[in-house]
Amino acid sequence: MKLKDRLIFLACVIVLLVEARSENIDSKNNNDNDDDDDNDIEGDDPWQLWKDMVTSRHLTPSGKQEVNLILDALSYKPIVAAGVGYKGTQLKATLLLEGNQKVVFKPGRYSREHVIKGKPYDGYDRHNGEIAAFHLDRVLGFNRAPPVAGRVVDLQDEIEPIAERNLLHTFFKKGGNTCFYGVCYYCNKEEAACANKTSMEGSMTIWLPQGWALRKWRHPWQRTYNNRKASWELDNNHCKKVIQQSPYDQGPRLLDIIDTAVFDFLIGNADRHHYETFKKGDDEGMLVHLDNAKSFGNPDHDELSIAAPLYQCCQLRDSTYKRLKEIANNKVKPVGELLKEATSSDALAPVLTEPHFKAVTRRLSIVMDIVTRCIERNGRRKVIKKDGL
C-alpha cells in the first residue's frame, strides 16, 4: 500500500473512532438523564404524590410508577400513632404513618382458602378483598379507589406502645395470640381479630387528602338485610323511578352507579348500601369506590342481583363499554390473569386463590352478555351512553 493510501486509511479509522466515542458519550448522557428522571420520582415524598394525583374524576392516574411508590410506602413506612377506626359496623383501626399520612387498617380474619357461605353480604371484612378490589378498579380503568396495600403488622411492637387508650383497652391475649376488637357498631370481645402470636396481616388504605371531602348517599338499590325483599328486587322497572329523581335524572351519577354495579358484581360485593361522592361538584361529584372489603367471599357463586342497576337500566357509559369489551376480547390474558398480575407485587401475595381469579373472568362474561342483550332489545344508541362528565 502506498504512503498516500495508508494516510487516507488511517484518517478514516480516526474519524470512525471519534464518531463512536461521541455516540457513547451521548448515550451515556441520555442514560444519566433517564436515571435522573427515575431518581427524581423515587426521591419524591409519596404522600405529596398522593395529594397531587387526586382529581375530580380520578383518584389515581393510569400509570403505575407513582402509584407503586405510594403502595410501597403503605407497606413499610413506620407507624407513629394508632387509634380506633372511623364510625362503622366493621372492625378497623386508624393509623398514622411517618410523614403524617393517615391510613385505615383492616385486620385479616380469614385464610385465603376460606369461602363465605350464606347471604351474599355475610361475613367479616376481607382484608385481601380490599387489596384485590383496588387493583381491579385500576385494571378496569375506573381509577376511583384509593390505594390499598397489604402489610404484616406486629401488634405488640408496632401498635400497643403507641395506641390510644380506647383502642389499647380492647387488646387481650388468647391462646398465646394477641387479639383486639376495637370500637365499632358490631365490635365485641367475642368477635375479636387475633394475630398469629403477635403478627397480623391487614390492608392499609390511604386516607383521602385534605380538601377532598365526601358526601354520603343512600344507594337507590339498597338491600333490606332481612327476609323482606326491597322494592327493586320485586320491580324490574325500578330504574324508571330512580331516573325521575335528582341526582339521577341528569349528569354523571346514574352512569357512575352502573359503573360501580359492574365493579361490585365482579368482586362479589353485595354490601354497598350507601355510597360516597366528592362534595366538590355537588350532584356531579364523582362516586368514590370506598370500603370494598365485603368482596371475594365465594368464588363459586355469582350474585346477579348486584348487577341490578345494569340490567334494569340497560345503560352503560361508552368509555366503560369500550374498556370492558377490550378486556373481555383478550383471550390470551383474561381479566382474572390481569388481576393476578396486578396483585403479584403486593407484600401479601398471593392475595387471592385461583378460583377467585377465574370467577372475575367468568363474571365479566356475564356482564358482557347482559349488555349484549340490552343492545339487541333496545338498540345501541339507547344503551351505550356518552360519558356524561
Side-chain angles (χ1 to χ4, degrees):
M1 183 181 290
K2 294 181 180 179
L3 178 61
K4 182 178 179 181
D5 293 336
R6 289 178 180 175
L7 291 173
I8 292 173
F9 176 76
L10 182 60
C12 290
V13 170
I14 292 172
V15 169
L16 290 172
L17 289 172
V18 170
E19 289 180 349
R21 177 174 173 78
S22 177
E23 287 179 2
N24 286 334
I25 291 173
D26 288 343
S27 177
K28 184 178 186 304
N29 287 337
N30 288 335
N31 288 336
D32 288 344
N33 289 335
D34 290 343
D35 290 341
D36 288 342
D37 290 342
D38 289 342
N39 290 334
D40 285 344
I41 294 174
E42 291 175 4
D44 281 340
D45 176 5
W47 312 142
Q48 188 60 48
L49 288 174
W50 170 232
K51 292 174 185 176
D52 293 342
M53 73 172 51
V54 177
T55 71
S56 61
R57 289 303 305 179
H58 294 102
L59 291 188
T60 59
S62 56
K64 294 181 180 179
Q65 194 167 22
E66 290 178 325
V67 176
N68 286 343
L69 288 174
I70 293 170
L71 296 178
D72 288 344
L74 291 172
S75 299
Y76 75 82
K77 285 281 189 180
I79 301 166
V80 297
V84 298
Y86 55 90
K87 185 179 178 181
T89 62
Q90 296 284 314
L91 171 59
K92 62 186 76 69
T94 300
L95 307 180
L96 192 68
L97 300 185
E98 184 181 71
N100 203 37
Q101 179 59 57
K102 192 175 179 181
V103 300
V104 176
F105 175 76
K106 293 188 178 180
R109 296 276 206 161
Y110 304 109
S111 68
R112 299 290 189 275
E113 294 76 21
H114 186 84
V115 175
I116 305 295
K117 301 290 187 179
K119 298 181 180 66
Y121 48 81
D122 280 349
Y124 300 116
D125 278 353
R126 275 78 78 180
H127 70 299
N128 57 318
E130 192 81 72
I131 299 164
F134 161 69
H135 287 282
L136 184 61
D137 168 86
R138 285 177 52 75
V139 167
L140 299 176
F142 291 138
N143 301 324
R144 299 173 202 162
V148 184
R151 180 165 177 165
V152 176
V153 175
D154 190 303
L155 297 182
Q156 182 173 286
D157 293 343
E158 295 184 86
I159 303 297
E160 290 188 72
I162 57 171
E164 294 176 357
R165 182 177 299 177
N166 54 353
L167 175 62
L168 188 60
H169 179 71
T170 72
F171 276 67
F172 64 98
K173 289 285 187 180
K174 181 180 179 181
N177 300 318
T178 301
C179 307
F180 79 102
Y181 55 92
V183 179
C184 69
Y185 189 78
Y186 292 125
C187 289
N188 60 76
K189 192 171 184 178
E190 287 68 36
E191 298 184 78
C194 292
N196 180 6
K197 298 197 180 299
T198 62
S199 296
M200 175 178 279
E201 281 193 3
S203 62
M204 307 281 275
T205 304
I206 198 166
W207 201 264
L208 286 174
Q210 189 174 6
W212 294 99
L214 296 174
R215 179 179 175 183
K216 192 171 187 176
W217 305 75
R218 185 179 298 276
H219 200 297
W221 277 267
Q222 184 184 36
R223 296 177 184 277
T224 62
Y225 294 90
N226 56 41
N227 293 327
R228 182 176 55 84
K229 288 186 177 294
S231 59
W232 60 268
E233 294 178 279
L234 302 170
D235 180 11
N236 271 330
N237 292 316
H238 178 74
C239 186
K240 292 181 179 179
K241 299 174 184 176
V242 172
I243 61 177
Q244 293 174 6
Q245 307 167 24
S246 178
Y248 310 106
D249 55 344
Q250 59 182 348
R253 184 64 57 79
L254 180 66
L255 295 178
D256 278 359
I257 286 281
I258 296 171
D259 279 353
T260 303
V262 170
F263 172 62
D264 281 339
F265 177 68
L266 295 185
I267 66 177
N269 176 22
D271 195 43
R272 204 174 293 279
H273 44 81
H274 289 77
Y275 66 89
E276 291 81 17
T277 63
F278 282 143
K279 283 186 177 179
K280 287 183 179 180
D282 298 319
D283 285 352
E284 296 194 359
M286 182 184 76
L287 196 162
V288 182
H289 290 165
L290 289 177
D291 288 334
N292 306 310
K294 279 291 186 76
S295 57
F296 298 103
N298 189 344
D300 302 318
H301 177 67
D302 304 326
E303 182 55 45
L304 196 59
S305 64
I306 301 172
L310 174 64
Y311 62 71
Q312 288 186 352
C313 296
C314 260
Q315 294 183 32
L316 190 63
R317 182 174 271 128
D318 182 53
S319 59
T320 301
Y321 176 64
K322 289 176 179 176
R323 177 62 175 156
L324 295 181
K325 189 175 181 181
E326 176 189 1
I327 296 173
N329 287 340
N330 187 345
K331 305 304 180 184
V332 176
K333 190 175 285 188
V335 65
E337 289 298 313
L338 294 175
L339 179 58
K340 183 193 295 186
E341 185 178 279
T343 57
S344 63
S345 297
D346 188 85
L348 303 184
V351 172
L352 299 173
T353 58
E354 193 63 31
H356 282 295
F357 292 122
K358 291 180 178 178
V360 174
T361 299
R362 182 181 68 244
R363 290 167 188 163
L364 179 58
S365 295
I366 295 171
V367 167
M368 298 313 294
D369 287 344
I370 292 171
V371 177
T372 298
R373 289 198 299 270
C374 285
I375 292 173
E376 290 173 349
R377 185 165 64 247
N378 301 320
R380 192 182 191 282
R381 181 175 295 181
K382 288 185 177 181
V383 176
I384 308 302
K385 299 293 184 179
K386 293 181 179 179
D387 279 26
L389 304 179

